[in-house]
Coordinates of all heavy atoms in Angstrom, one line a residue:
M1451 N -171.3 19.3 -48.0 CA -172.7 19.2 -48.5 C -173.0 17.7 -48.7 O -172.2 17.0 -49.2 CB -172.9 20.0 -49.8 CG -174.3 20.0 -50.2 SD -174.7 20.9 -51.8 CE -173.7 22.4 -51.7
S1452 N -174.2 17.3 -48.3 CA -174.5 15.9 -48.4 C -174.7 15.4 -49.8 O -175.1 16.2 -50.7 CB -175.8 15.6 -47.6 OG -176.9 15.6 -48.4
P1453 N -174.3 14.1 -50.1 CA -174.5 13.6 -51.5 C -175.9 13.7 -52.0 O -176.1 13.9 -53.2 CB -174.0 12.2 -51.3 CG -173.2 12.1 -50.1 CD -173.7 13.2 -49.2
I1454 N -176.9 13.6 -51.1 CA -178.3 13.7 -51.6 C -178.6 15.1 -52.1 O -179.3 15.2 -53.1 CB -179.3 13.2 -50.4 CG1 -179.1 11.7 -50.1 CG2 -180.7 13.5 -50.8 CD1 -179.9 11.2 -48.9
V1455 N -178.1 16.1 -51.3 CA -178.4 17.5 -51.8 C -177.6 17.7 -53.0 O -178.2 18.4 -54.0 CB -177.9 18.4 -50.6 CG1 -178.0 19.9 -51.1 CG2 -178.8 18.2 -49.4
K1456 N -176.4 17.3 -53.2 CA -175.6 17.5 -54.4 C -176.3 16.8 -55.6 O -176.4 17.5 -56.6 CB -174.2 16.9 -54.3 CG -173.3 17.6 -53.4 CD -171.9 16.9 -53.4 CE -171.0 17.6 -52.4 NZ -169.7 16.9 -52.4
Y1457 N -176.8 15.6 -55.4 CA -177.5 14.9 -56.5 C -178.8 15.7 -56.9 O -179.1 15.8 -58.1 CB -177.8 13.5 -56.1 CG -178.5 12.7 -57.2 CD1 -177.9 12.4 -58.4 CD2 -179.9 12.4 -57.0 CE1 -178.6 11.7 -59.4 CE2 -180.6 11.7 -57.9 CZ -179.9 11.3 -59.1 OH -180.6 10.6 -60.1
S1458 N -179.5 16.1 -55.9 CA -180.8 16.8 -56.2 C -180.5 18.1 -56.9 O -181.2 18.4 -57.9 CB -181.5 17.1 -54.9 OG -181.9 15.9 -54.2
L1459 N -179.5 18.8 -56.5 CA -179.2 20.1 -57.2 C -178.7 19.8 -58.6 O -179.0 20.6 -59.5 CB -178.1 20.9 -56.4 CG -178.6 21.5 -55.1 CD1 -177.5 22.1 -54.3 CD2 -179.8 22.5 -55.3
A1460 N -177.9 18.8 -58.8 CA -177.4 18.4 -60.1 C -178.6 18.0 -61.0 O -178.6 18.5 -62.2 CB -176.4 17.2 -60.0
R1461 N -179.6 17.3 -60.5 CA -180.8 16.9 -61.3 C -181.5 18.2 -61.7 O -182.0 18.4 -62.8 CB -181.7 16.0 -60.5 CG -181.3 14.6 -60.4 CD -181.4 13.8 -61.6 NE -182.7 13.8 -62.2 CZ -183.7 12.9 -62.1 NH1 -183.4 11.8 -61.4 NH2 -184.8 13.0 -62.8
L1462 N -181.7 19.1 -60.7 CA -182.4 20.3 -61.0 C -181.7 21.2 -62.0 O -182.3 21.7 -62.9 CB -182.6 21.1 -59.7 CG -183.4 22.4 -59.8 CD1 -184.8 22.2 -60.3 CD2 -183.4 23.2 -58.4
G1463 N -180.4 21.3 -61.9 CA -179.6 22.0 -62.8 C -179.6 21.5 -64.2 O -179.8 22.2 -65.2
L1464 N -179.6 20.2 -64.3 CA -179.7 19.5 -65.6 C -181.1 19.8 -66.2 O -181.2 20.1 -67.4 CB -179.5 18.0 -65.4 CG -179.4 17.2 -66.7 CD1 -178.2 17.7 -67.5 CD2 -179.1 15.7 -66.3
F1465 N -182.1 19.7 -65.4 CA -183.5 20.1 -66.0 C -183.5 21.5 -66.5 O -184.1 21.8 -67.5 CB -184.6 19.8 -64.9 CG -185.9 20.4 -65.3 CD1 -186.6 19.8 -66.3 CD2 -186.3 21.6 -64.7 CE1 -187.8 20.4 -66.7 CE2 -187.5 22.1 -65.1 CZ -188.3 21.5 -66.1
V1466 N -183.0 22.4 -65.7 CA -183.0 23.8 -66.1 C -182.3 24.0 -67.4 O -182.8 24.7 -68.3 CB -182.4 24.7 -65.0 CG1 -182.1 26.1 -65.5 CG2 -183.3 24.7 -63.8
V1467 N -181.1 23.4 -67.6 CA -180.4 23.5 -68.8 C -181.2 23.0 -70.0 O -181.3 23.6 -71.1 CB -179.0 22.8 -68.7 CG1 -178.3 22.7 -70.1 CG2 -178.1 23.6 -67.8
V1468 N -181.7 21.8 -69.8 CA -182.5 21.1 -70.9 C -183.8 21.9 -71.2 O -184.1 22.1 -72.4 CB -182.8 19.6 -70.6 CG1 -183.8 19.0 -71.6 CG2 -181.6 18.8 -70.5
A1469 N -184.4 22.4 -70.2 CA -185.7 23.2 -70.4 C -185.3 24.5 -71.1 O -186.1 24.9 -72.0 CB -186.3 23.5 -69.0
A1470 N -184.2 25.1 -70.7 CA -183.8 26.4 -71.5 C -183.6 26.1 -72.9 O -184.0 26.9 -73.8 CB -182.6 27.0 -70.8
V1471 N -182.9 25.0 -73.2 CA -182.7 24.7 -74.6 C -184.0 24.4 -75.3 O -184.2 24.8 -76.4 CB -181.7 23.4 -74.7 CG1 -181.6 22.9 -76.1 CG2 -180.3 23.8 -74.2
A1472 N -184.9 23.6 -74.7 CA -186.2 23.2 -75.3 C -187.0 24.5 -75.5 O -187.7 24.5 -76.5 CB -186.9 22.3 -74.4
L1473 N -187.0 25.4 -74.6 CA -187.8 26.6 -74.8 C -187.3 27.6 -75.8 O -188.0 28.4 -76.4 CB -188.0 27.4 -73.4 CG -188.8 26.6 -72.4 CD1 -188.7 27.4 -71.1 CD2 -190.2 26.4 -72.8
T1474 N -186.0 27.5 -76.1 CA -185.4 28.4 -77.2 C -185.5 27.8 -78.5 O -185.3 28.5 -79.5 CB -183.9 28.7 -76.8 OG1 -183.2 27.5 -76.8 CG2 -183.8 29.5 -75.5
V1475 N -185.8 26.5 -78.6 CA -186.0 25.9 -80.0 C -187.2 26.5 -80.6 O -188.3 26.5 -80.1 CB -186.1 24.3 -79.8 CG1 -186.5 23.7 -81.2 CG2 -184.8 23.8 -79.3
P1476 N -187.0 27.0 -81.9 CA -188.2 27.7 -82.5 C -189.1 26.7 -83.2 O -189.3 26.6 -84.4 CB -187.5 28.6 -83.5 CG -186.3 27.8 -83.9 CD -185.8 27.2 -82.6
V1477 N -189.8 25.9 -82.4 CA -190.8 25.0 -82.8 C -192.2 25.4 -82.2 O -192.3 25.7 -81.1 CB -190.5 23.5 -82.4 CG1 -191.6 22.6 -82.8 CG2 -189.1 23.1 -82.9
D1478 N -193.2 25.4 -83.1 CA -194.5 25.9 -82.6 C -195.2 24.8 -81.9 O -196.1 24.0 -82.4 CB -195.4 26.3 -83.8 CG -196.6 27.0 -83.4 OD1 -196.6 27.6 -82.3 OD2 -197.6 27.0 -84.2
V1479 N -194.8 24.6 -80.6 CA -195.4 23.6 -79.7 C -195.7 24.3 -78.4 O -195.0 25.2 -78.0 CB -194.4 22.4 -79.5 CG1 -194.9 21.4 -78.5 CG2 -194.0 21.8 -80.8
N1480 N -196.7 23.8 -77.7 CA -197.1 24.3 -76.4 C -196.0 24.3 -75.4 O -195.2 23.3 -75.4 CB -198.3 23.5 -75.9 CG -198.9 24.1 -74.7 OD1 -198.5 25.1 -74.1 ND2 -200.0 23.5 -74.2
I1481 N -195.9 25.3 -74.6 CA -194.8 25.4 -73.6 C -194.8 24.2 -72.6 O -193.8 23.6 -72.2 CB -194.8 26.7 -72.8 CG1 -194.5 27.9 -73.7 CG2 -193.9 26.7 -71.6 CD1 -194.6 29.2 -73.1
T1482 N -196.0 23.8 -72.2 CA -196.2 22.7 -71.3 C -195.6 21.4 -71.9 O -194.9 20.6 -71.2 CB -197.7 22.4 -71.0 OG1 -198.2 23.6 -70.5 CG2 -197.8 21.3 -69.9
L1483 N -195.8 21.2 -73.2 CA -195.3 20.0 -73.9 C -193.8 20.1 -73.9 O -193.1 19.1 -73.7 CB -195.9 19.9 -75.3 CG -195.4 18.7 -76.1 CD1 -195.8 17.4 -75.4 CD2 -196.0 18.7 -77.5
K1484 N -193.2 21.2 -74.2 CA -191.8 21.4 -74.2 C -191.2 21.1 -72.8 O -190.1 20.4 -72.7 CB -191.4 22.8 -74.6 CG -191.5 23.1 -76.1 CD -191.0 24.5 -76.4 CE -191.1 24.8 -77.9 NZ -190.6 26.1 -78.2
L1485 N -191.8 21.5 -71.8 CA -191.3 21.3 -70.4 C -191.4 19.8 -70.1 O -190.6 19.2 -69.4 CB -192.1 22.1 -69.4 CG -191.8 23.6 -69.4 CD1 -192.6 24.4 -68.4 CD2 -190.3 23.9 -69.2
M1486 N -192.5 19.1 -70.5 CA -192.6 17.7 -70.3 C -191.5 16.9 -71.0 O -191.0 16.0 -70.5 CB -194.0 17.2 -70.7 CG -195.1 17.6 -69.8 SD -196.7 16.8 -70.0 CE -197.1 17.2 -71.7
V1487 N -191.2 17.3 -72.2 CA -190.1 16.7 -73.0 C -188.8 17.0 -72.2 O -187.9 16.1 -72.1 CB -190.1 17.2 -74.4 CG1 -188.8 16.8 -75.1 CG2 -191.3 16.7 -75.2
A1488 N -188.6 18.2 -71.7 CA -187.4 18.5 -70.9 C -187.3 17.6 -69.7 O -186.2 17.2 -69.3 CB -187.4 20.0 -70.6
V1489 N -188.4 17.3 -69.0 CA -188.3 16.5 -67.9 C -187.9 15.1 -68.3 O -187.0 14.5 -67.6 CB -189.7 16.4 -67.2 CG1 -189.8 15.2 -66.2 CG2 -190.1 17.7 -66.5
L1490 N -188.4 14.5 -69.4 CA -188.0 13.2 -69.8 C -186.6 13.2 -70.3 O -185.8 12.3 -69.9 CB -188.9 12.8 -71.0 CG -190.4 12.5 -70.6 CD1 -191.2 12.2 -71.8 CD2 -190.4 11.3 -69.6
V1491 N -186.1 14.2 -71.0 CA -184.8 14.2 -71.5 C -183.8 14.4 -70.4 O -182.8 13.7 -70.3 CB -184.6 15.3 -72.6 CG1 -183.1 15.5 -72.9 CG2 -185.4 15.0 -73.8
S1492 N -184.1 15.2 -69.4 CA -183.2 15.4 -68.3 C -183.1 14.2 -67.4 O -182.1 13.9 -66.9 CB -183.6 16.6 -67.5 OG -184.8 16.4 -66.8
A1493 N -184.2 13.4 -67.3 CA -184.2 12.2 -66.6 C -183.3 11.2 -67.2 O -182.5 10.5 -66.5 CB -185.6 11.6 -66.4
V1494 N -183.4 11.0 -68.5 CA -182.5 10.1 -69.2 C -181.1 10.5 -69.1 O -180.2 9.7 -68.9 CB -183.0 10.0 -70.7 CG1 -182.0 9.2 -71.5 CG2 -184.4 9.3 -70.8
L1495 N -180.8 11.8 -69.3 CA -179.4 12.3 -69.2 C -178.9 12.1 -67.8 O -177.7 11.7 -67.6 CB -179.3 13.7 -69.6 CG -179.5 14.0 -71.1 CD1 -179.5 15.6 -71.3 CD2 -178.4 13.4 -71.9
A1496 N -179.7 12.3 -66.8 CA -179.3 12.1 -65.4 C -178.9 10.7 -65.1 O -178.0 10.4 -64.4 CB -180.3 12.6 -64.5
F1497 N -179.7 9.8 -65.7 CA -179.4 8.4 -65.5 C -178.0 8.0 -65.9 O -177.4 7.2 -65.2 CB -180.5 7.5 -66.3 CG -180.3 6.0 -66.1 CD1 -180.7 5.4 -64.9 CD2 -179.7 5.2 -67.0 CE1 -180.6 4.1 -64.7 CE2 -179.6 3.9 -66.9 CZ -180.0 3.3 -65.7
F1498 N -177.5 8.6 -67.0 CA -176.2 8.2 -67.5 C -175.1 9.2 -66.9 O -174.1 8.7 -66.5 CB -176.2 8.3 -69.0 CG -177.0 7.2 -69.6 CD1 -178.2 7.5 -70.2 CD2 -176.6 5.9 -69.6 CE1 -179.0 6.5 -70.8 CE2 -177.4 4.9 -70.2 CZ -178.6 5.2 -70.8
L1499 N -175.4 10.5 -66.8 CA -174.4 11.4 -66.5 C -174.2 11.5 -65.0 O -173.0 11.9 -64.5 CB -174.8 12.8 -67.0 CG -174.9 13.0 -68.5 CD1 -175.3 14.4 -68.9 CD2 -173.5 12.6 -69.2
L1500 N -175.2 11.2 -64.2 CA -175.1 11.4 -62.7 C -175.0 10.1 -62.0 O -175.4 10.0 -60.8 CB -176.2 12.3 -62.2 CG -176.4 13.6 -62.9 CD1 -177.6 14.3 -62.3 CD2 -175.1 14.5 -62.7
K1501 N -174.5 9.0 -62.6 CA -174.5 7.7 -62.0 C -173.7 7.7 -60.7 O -174.2 7.2 -59.7 CB -173.9 6.7 -63.0 CG -173.9 5.3 -62.4 CD -173.3 4.3 -63.4 CE -173.3 2.9 -62.8 NZ -172.7 1.9 -63.7
G1502 N -172.5 8.3 -60.7 CA -171.7 8.3 -59.5 C -172.4 9.0 -58.3 O -172.3 8.6 -57.2
M1503 N -172.9 10.2 -58.6 CA -173.6 11.0 -57.6 C -174.8 10.2 -57.1 O -175.1 10.3 -55.9 CB -174.0 12.3 -58.2 CG -172.9 13.2 -58.5 SD -173.4 14.8 -59.2 CE -173.8 15.7 -57.7
R1504 N -175.5 9.5 -58.0 CA -176.7 8.8 -57.5 C -176.3 7.7 -56.6 O -177.0 7.4 -55.6 CB -177.5 8.3 -58.7 CG -178.7 7.5 -58.4 CD -179.5 7.1 -59.6 NE -178.8 6.2 -60.5 CZ -178.3 6.5 -61.7 NH1 -178.5 7.7 -62.2 NH2 -177.6 5.6 -62.4
E1505 N -175.2 7.0 -56.9 CA -174.8 5.9 -56.1 C -174.3 6.4 -54.7 O -174.6 5.8 -53.7 CB -173.6 5.1 -56.7 CG -174.1 4.3 -57.9 CD -173.0 3.7 -58.7 OE1 -171.8 3.9 -58.4 OE2 -173.3 2.9 -59.6
Q1506 N -173.6 7.5 -54.6 CA -173.2 8.1 -53.4 C -174.4 8.5 -52.5 O -174.5 8.2 -51.3 CB -172.4 9.3 -53.6 CG -171.0 9.0 -54.1 CD -170.2 10.3 -54.4 OE1 -170.7 11.4 -54.3 NE2 -169.0 10.1 -54.9
A1507 N -175.4 9.1 -53.2 CA -176.7 9.5 -52.5 C -177.4 8.2 -51.9 O -177.9 8.2 -50.8 CB -177.6 10.3 -53.4
S1508 N -177.4 7.2 -52.7 CA -178.0 5.9 -52.3 C -177.3 5.3 -51.1 O -178.0 4.9 -50.2 CB -178.0 4.9 -53.5 OG -178.5 3.7 -53.1
V1509 N -176.0 5.3 -51.1 CA -175.3 4.8 -50.0 C -175.6 5.6 -48.7 O -175.8 5.0 -47.6 CB -173.8 4.8 -50.3 CG1 -172.9 4.6 -49.0 CG2 -173.4 3.8 -51.3
Q1510 N -175.7 6.9 -48.8 CA -176.0 7.7 -47.7 C -177.4 7.5 -47.2 O -177.7 7.3 -46.0 CB -175.9 9.2 -48.0 CG -176.2 10.1 -46.8 CD -176.3 11.6 -47.1 OE1 -176.4 11.9 -48.2 NE2 -176.2 12.4 -46.0
A1511 N -178.4 7.3 -48.1 CA -179.8 7.1 -47.8 C -179.9 5.7 -47.1 O -180.6 5.6 -46.1 CB -180.7 7.2 -49.0
V1512 N -179.2 4.7 -47.5 CA -179.3 3.4 -46.9 C -178.7 3.5 -45.5 O -179.2 2.9 -44.5 CB -178.5 2.4 -47.7 CG1 -178.3 1.1 -47.0 CG2 -179.3 2.1 -49.0
G1513 N -177.6 4.2 -45.3 CA -177.0 4.4 -44.0 C -177.9 5.0 -43.0 O -178.1 4.6 -41.9
V1514 N -178.6 6.1 -43.5 CA -179.6 6.8 -42.6 C -180.7 5.9 -42.3 O -181.1 5.8 -41.1 CB -180.1 8.1 -43.4 CG1 -181.3 8.7 -42.6 CG2 -178.9 9.1 -43.5
A1515 N -181.2 5.2 -43.2 CA -182.3 4.2 -42.9 C -181.9 3.2 -41.9 O -182.7 2.8 -41.1 CB -182.8 3.6 -44.3
Q1516 N -180.7 2.6 -42.1 CA -180.2 1.6 -41.1 C -180.1 2.2 -39.7 O -180.5 1.5 -38.7 CB -178.9 1.0 -41.6 CG -179.0 0.1 -42.8 CD -177.7 -0.4 -43.3 OE1 -176.6 0.2 -42.9 NE2 -177.7 -1.4 -44.0
R1517 N -179.5 3.4 -39.6 CA -179.4 4.0 -38.3 C -180.8 4.2 -37.7 O -181.0 4.0 -36.5 CB -178.6 5.3 -38.4 CG -177.1 5.1 -38.6 CD -176.3 6.3 -38.4 NE -176.7 7.4 -39.3 CZ -176.2 7.5 -40.6 NH1 -175.3 6.6 -41.0 NH2 -176.6 8.5 -41.3
R1518 N -181.7 4.7 -38.4 CA -183.1 4.9 -37.9 C -183.7 3.6 -37.5 O -184.4 3.6 -36.4 CB -184.0 5.6 -39.0 CG -183.7 7.0 -39.2 CD -184.6 7.7 -40.1 NE -184.3 9.1 -40.4 CZ -184.9 9.8 -41.3 NH1 -185.8 9.3 -42.0 NH2 -184.5 11.1 -41.4
T1519 N -183.5 2.6 -38.2 CA -184.1 1.3 -37.9 C -183.5 0.8 -36.6 O -184.2 0.3 -35.7 CB -183.9 0.2 -39.0 OG1 -184.5 0.7 -40.2 CG2 -184.4 -1.1 -38.7
E1520 N -182.2 0.9 -36.5 CA -181.5 0.4 -35.2 C -182.0 1.2 -34.0 O -182.3 0.7 -33.0 CB -180.0 0.5 -35.4 CG -179.4 -0.5 -36.4 CD -178.0 -0.2 -36.7 OE1 -177.4 0.8 -36.2 OE2 -177.4 -0.9 -37.5
K1521 N -182.1 2.5 -34.2 CA -182.6 3.4 -33.1 C -184.0 3.0 -32.7 O -184.3 3.0 -31.5 CB -182.5 4.8 -33.5 CG -182.8 5.8 -32.4 CD -182.6 7.3 -32.9 CE -183.0 8.3 -31.8 NZ -182.8 9.6 -32.3
R1522 N -184.9 2.8 -33.7 CA -186.3 2.4 -33.4 C -186.3 1.1 -32.7 O -187.1 0.9 -31.8 CB -187.0 2.4 -34.7 CG -188.5 2.1 -34.5 CD -189.3 2.2 -35.8 NE -188.7 1.5 -36.9 CZ -188.3 2.0 -38.1 NH1 -188.4 3.3 -38.3 NH2 -187.8 1.3 -39.0
E1523 N -185.5 0.1 -33.1 CA -185.5 -1.2 -32.5 C -185.0 -1.1 -31.0 O -185.5 -1.7 -30.1 CB -184.6 -2.2 -33.3 CG -185.3 -2.6 -34.5 CD -184.4 -3.4 -35.4 OE1 -183.2 -3.7 -35.0 OE2 -184.9 -3.9 -36.5
R1524 N -184.0 -0.2 -30.8 CA -183.5 0.0 -29.4 C -184.6 0.6 -28.5 O -184.8 0.2 -27.4 CB -182.2 0.8 -29.4 CG -180.9 0.1 -29.8 CD -179.7 0.9 -29.5 NE -179.8 2.3 -30.0 CZ -179.3 2.7 -31.1 NH1 -178.7 1.9 -32.0 NH2 -179.4 4.0 -31.5
L1525 N -185.3 1.6 -29.1 CA -186.3 2.2 -28.3 C -187.4 1.3 -28.1 O -188.0 1.2 -26.9 CB -186.8 3.5 -29.1 CG -188.0 4.2 -28.5 CD1 -187.5 4.8 -27.1 CD2 -188.4 5.4 -29.4
R1526 N -187.8 0.5 -29.1 CA -188.9 -0.5 -28.9 C -188.5 -1.5 -27.8 O -189.3 -1.9 -26.9 CB -189.2 -1.2 -30.2 CG -190.4 -2.1 -30.1 CD -190.8 -2.6 -31.5 NE -191.4 -1.5 -32.2 CZ -191.1 -1.4 -33.5 NH1 -190.4 -2.2 -34.2 NH2 -191.7 -0.3 -34.2
A1527 N -187.3 -2.0 -27.8 CA -186.8 -2.9 -26.8 C -186.8 -2.3 -25.4 O -187.2 -2.9 -24.5 CB -185.4 -3.4 -27.2
A1528 N -186.4 -1.0 -25.3 CA -186.4 -0.3 -24.0 C -187.8 -0.2 -23.5 O -188.1 -0.4 -22.3 CB -185.7 1.0 -24.2
L1529 N -188.8 0.1 -24.4 CA -190.1 0.3 -24.0 C -190.8 -1.0 -23.6 O -191.7 -1.0 -22.7 CB -191.0 1.0 -25.1 CG -190.6 2.4 -25.3 CD1 -191.4 3.0 -26.6 CD2 -190.9 3.3 -24.1
N1530 N -190.3 -2.1 -24.2 CA -190.9 -3.4 -23.9 C -190.2 -4.0 -22.6 O -190.6 -5.1 -22.1 CB -190.7 -4.4 -25.0 CG -191.6 -4.1 -26.2 OD1 -192.7 -3.5 -26.0 ND2 -191.3 -4.5 -27.4
G1531 N -189.2 -3.4 -22.1 CA -188.5 -3.9 -20.9 C -187.4 -4.9 -21.3 O -186.8 -5.4 -20.3
D1532 N -187.2 -5.1 -22.5 CA -186.1 -6.0 -22.9 C -184.7 -5.4 -22.6 O -183.7 -6.1 -22.4 CB -186.2 -6.3 -24.4 CG -187.5 -7.1 -24.7 OD1 -188.1 -7.6 -23.8 OD2 -187.9 -7.0 -25.9
D1533 N -184.7 -4.1 -22.7 CA -183.4 -3.4 -22.5 C -183.6 -2.4 -21.3 O -184.4 -1.4 -21.5 CB -183.0 -2.6 -23.7 CG -181.7 -1.9 -23.6 OD1 -180.9 -2.1 -22.6 OD2 -181.4 -1.0 -24.4
D1534 N -183.0 -2.6 -20.2 CA -183.2 -1.7 -19.1 C -182.3 -0.5 -19.1 O -182.3 0.3 -18.1 CB -183.1 -2.5 -17.8 CG -181.8 -3.1 -17.6 OD1 -180.9 -2.9 -18.4 OD2 -181.6 -3.9 -16.6
G1535 N -181.5 -0.3 -20.1 CA -180.6 0.9 -20.1 C -179.6 0.9 -19.1 O -179.1 2.0 -18.7
G1536 N -179.2 -0.2 -18.5 CA -178.1 -0.2 -17.5 C -178.6 0.0 -16.1 O -177.8 0.2 -15.2
E1537 N -179.9 0.1 -15.9 CA -180.5 0.4 -14.6 C -180.3 -0.8 -13.6 O -180.3 -0.6 -12.4 CB -181.9 0.8 -14.7 CG -182.1 2.1 -15.4 CD -183.6 2.5 -15.5 OE1 -184.4 1.9 -14.8 OE2 -183.9 3.5 -16.2
S1538 N -180.2 -2.0 -14.1 CA -180.2 -3.2 -13.3 C -178.8 -3.2 -12.5 O -178.8 -3.7 -11.4 CB -180.3 -4.5 -14.1 OG -179.2 -4.6 -15.0
A1539 N -177.8 -2.6 -13.0 CA -176.5 -2.5 -12.3 C -176.6 -1.6 -11.1 O -176.0 -1.8 -10.1 CB -175.4 -2.1 -13.2
T1540 N -177.5 -0.6 -11.2 CA -177.6 0.3 -10.0 C -178.6 -0.1 -9.0 O -178.6 0.3 -7.9 CB -177.9 1.8 -10.5 OG1 -179.2 1.7 -11.2 CG2 -176.8 2.3 -11.4
K1541 N -179.6 -1.0 -9.5 CA -180.6 -1.5 -8.5 C -180.1 -2.8 -7.9 O -179.8 -3.7 -8.6 CB -181.9 -1.7 -9.3 CG -182.6 -0.5 -9.8 CD -183.9 -0.9 -10.5 CE -184.5 0.4 -11.0 NZ -185.8 0.0 -11.8
T1542 N -180.2 -2.8 -6.6 CA -179.8 -4.0 -5.9 C -181.0 -4.4 -5.0 O -181.6 -3.5 -4.3 CB -178.6 -3.9 -5.0 OG1 -178.8 -2.8 -4.1 CG2 -177.4 -3.7 -5.9
G1543 N -181.4 -5.6 -5.0 CA -182.5 -5.7 -4.3 C -182.9 -7.0 -3.8 O -183.7 -7.3 -3.0

């Protein structure tokens, strides 16, 4: 499973746990407010608890972005005629 998917599922799971705790606390507060507090608390907890997973996901995302950029640059060069794709070796003229 990719690190980005693992990190996303961990964030979601952390939110679900915090939201469950927040909703079971017997305080007379609107449910929406409890869920907003759960979002904030889970974000802070994720910042500290999921640091390693976040770094792995970041490394993967940077790698994907670099590969896409390289592929786009190769395609752009081929379309501009800068890169003939090895056709000049077969063409004699």
Side-chain angles (χ1 to χ4, degrees):
M1451 188 180 316
S1452 95
I1454 293 175
V1455 173
K1456 286 181 186 178
Y1457 177 69
S1458 298
L1459 290 175
R1461 286 285 307 259
L1462 181 63
L1464 189 60
F1465 168 73
V1466 168
V1467 169
V1468 173
V1471 170
L1473 291 175
T1474 59
V1475 172
V1477 177
D1478 191 25
V1479 177
N1480 189 353
I1481 291 175
T1482 306
L1483 182 60
K1484 285 184 179 183
L1485 290 176
M1486 287 191 301
V1487 169
V1489 166
L1490 292 174
V1491 170
S1492 67
V1494 171
L1495 288 174
F1497 182 75
F1498 294 106
L1499 298 177
L1500 304 178
K1501 181 180 180 181
M1503 293 178 83
R1504 184 176 59 249
E1505 289 174 355
Q1506 290 175 355
S1508 174
V1509 166
Q1510 182 190 18
V1512 167
V1514 168
Q1516 286 176 343
R1517 285 191 299 275
R1518 285 184 182 173
T1519 300
E1520 291 169 359
K1521 185 176 180 181
R1522 184 175 46 243
E1523 288 174 358
R1524 284 193 309 267
L1525 179 60
R1526 186 172 290 142
L1529 290 173
N1530 288 336
D1532 298 339
D1533 181 15
D1534 60 7
E1537 292 179 13
S1538 63
T1540 59
K1541 291 182 181 178
T1542 56

